[in-house]
Amino acid sequence: MTQEFIHTTVLLQEAVDALVTDPSGFYIDGTFGRGGHSSKIIQALGPKGRLMAIDKDPEAIAYAQVHFGDEPRFEIEHGSFSEISHFAETRDMRGKVTGVLLDLGVSSPQLDDPQRGFSFMHDGPLDMRMNTSVGESAAEWINRASEAEIADVLYHYGEERFSRRMAKAIVMERQASPILTTGRLAKIITDANPRWEKGKNPATRAFQGIRIHINKELDDIEQCLDQALDVLAIGGVLVVISFHSLEDRIAKRFIRKHVKGDEHLPAGVPFTQSMLNQRLRSVGKAIRAGQDELNANPRARSAVMRVAVKCA
């Protein structure tokens, strides 16, 4: 029997309260995971409301089919949220979607299951793919990439300041034998880290960087946000929950850009507000988990939620 790993959904009520403005609307949960947000969204819908979920992970799809299969207002697509425009268009919902929710990053079941290869705490196959049916695994990449490429990934996606030392150690170690497990990679990285951050595993940043690279996470976020503007109806809500600075920076800049509008109007030429082509209106300040949620779920400490409404 396959072990079922538990996922505690972060900012659950806050996200659904911001998202569901019309119980009869059509909503998209771009990151189904184990259905925490989807379940709450469905509870907020009326008989005519609909929810489409998306997930890369075949295990998430299987979970949805078992636990949500009898819900007529729900459907799920196996794929990336970077395909959100395609999924909406096949349902004739482009420009008609009431709300889009993106809960970014990796889910707890992926982190907690050593067989998925995300964890530096428990030994397992070095995989890290959210969609295990396609693409290059972390083991395949780590054993073929150049030292410079590994260093760049750890630095840019993991924000790891000792990326060059770690990349050099990885290349030296793989010459002896291929690096195939999370435990071995974590030890190599840990041994190459001369200055550990208090309260943080020394392999944390490097594993984050590799995971983001393997799954093309930041590219997917940028593509999805651009498409979200097209699929949302006027007045439609965009909710984005991020778990590290790279994700949040993309969401923050995207919202700010479309709140500000057109920056290329000629200097000195009078213009009206409507000429700015402002496509989003930011709703409130960034929201973080409260103390009660932090006490119950320490992984919520880095979560940031941003909300915007499409206005043009």
Side-chain angles (χ1 to χ4, degrees), residues 5-280:
F5 294 87
I6 297 171
H7 177 72
T8 303
T9 306
V10 175
L11 293 168
L12 176 57
Q13 193 63 55
E14 293 90 339
V16 176
D17 285 347
L19 182 77
V20 181
T21 57
D22 177 5
S24 298
F26 182 95
Y27 296 88
I28 299 177
D29 180 354
T31 46
F32 175 79
R34 289 302 181 270
H37 282 119
S38 283
S39 180
K40 201 74 172 176
I41 293 167
I42 290 169
Q43 290 176 29
L45 296 181
K48 295 183 179 179
R50 291 169 60 199
L51 172 64
M52 180 186 74
I54 306 168
D55 209 290
K56 286 183 176 181
D57 191 342
E59 292 184 12
I61 302 300
Y63 184 94
Q65 291 167 346
V66 171
H67 295 274
F68 289 72
D70 295 332
E71 174 52 67
R73 297 168 295 175
F74 175 83
E75 56 187 320
I76 191 164
E77 290 280 3
H78 183 206
S80 168
F81 53 53
S82 64
E83 303 170 88
I84 194 171
S85 184
H86 166 71
F87 293 139
E89 200 160 320
T90 58
R91 291 161 174 82
D92 191 30
M93 291 303 298
R94 187 170 182 178
K96 304 174 185 177
V97 175
T98 317
V100 173
L101 170 65
L102 303 175
D103 182 4
L104 304 175
V106 63
S107 70
S108 295
Q110 291 167 331
L111 285 172
D112 294 338
D113 183 358
Q115 296 304 307
R116 298 302 304 272
F118 291 97
S119 176
F120 45 75
M121 301 293 290
H122 307 286
D123 197 21
L126 185 57
D127 195 313
M128 293 198 196
R129 290 173 297 169
M130 292 179 181
N131 185 353
T132 52
S133 62
V134 298
E136 186 177 41
S137 71
E140 290 169 331
W141 178 76
I142 210 77
N143 285 291
R144 68 137 184 96
S146 68
E147 182 177 324
E149 183 182 355
I150 295 171
D152 283 348
V153 165
L154 301 192
Y155 181 77
H156 291 294
Y157 296 151
E159 300 178 294
E160 174 54 70
R161 56 179 171 162
F162 301 115
S163 59
R164 292 184 180 179
R165 293 174 64 116
M166 293 174 180
K168 184 176 182 179
I170 287 168
V171 170
M172 287 181 63
E173 285 290 329
R174 76 185 186 191
Q175 290 173 355
S177 62
I179 302 167
L180 303 176
T181 66
T182 55
R184 185 168 175 225
L185 179 60
K187 186 178 187 310
I188 295 167
I189 290 169
T190 298
D191 290 346
N193 190 333
R195 197 171 303 159
W196 297 8
E197 295 178 64
K198 186 177 181 180
K200 182 174 287 190
N201 187 290
T204 299
R205 292 182 180 276
F207 267 61
Q208 172 189 294
I210 295 168
R211 188 202 83 219
I212 289 173
H213 172 73
I214 291 297
N215 293 288
K216 299 179 174 62
E217 292 177 38
L218 302 187
D219 290 341
D220 280 2
I221 293 169
E222 290 178 343
Q223 291 177 39
C224 179
L225 289 173
D226 284 335
Q227 293 175 36
L229 265 182
D230 292 330
V231 305
L232 283 169
I234 301 298
V237 181
L238 173 67
V239 178
V240 184
I241 302 174
S242 318
F243 286 86
H244 59 73
S245 59
L246 296 176
E247 294 172 342
D248 184 52
R249 197 175 302 146
I250 292 172
K252 182 178 180 180
R253 286 176 177 171
F254 176 82
I255 292 171
R256 189 187 332 174
K257 171 186 173 183
H258 291 287
V259 166
K260 191 172 184 180
D262 198 338
E263 297 178 317
H264 304 293
L265 293 173
V269 177
F271 59 88
T272 63
Q273 195 78 6
S274 61
M275 293 171 63
L276 290 175
N277 192 30
Q278 295 166 303
R279 302 197 67 194
L280 286 175

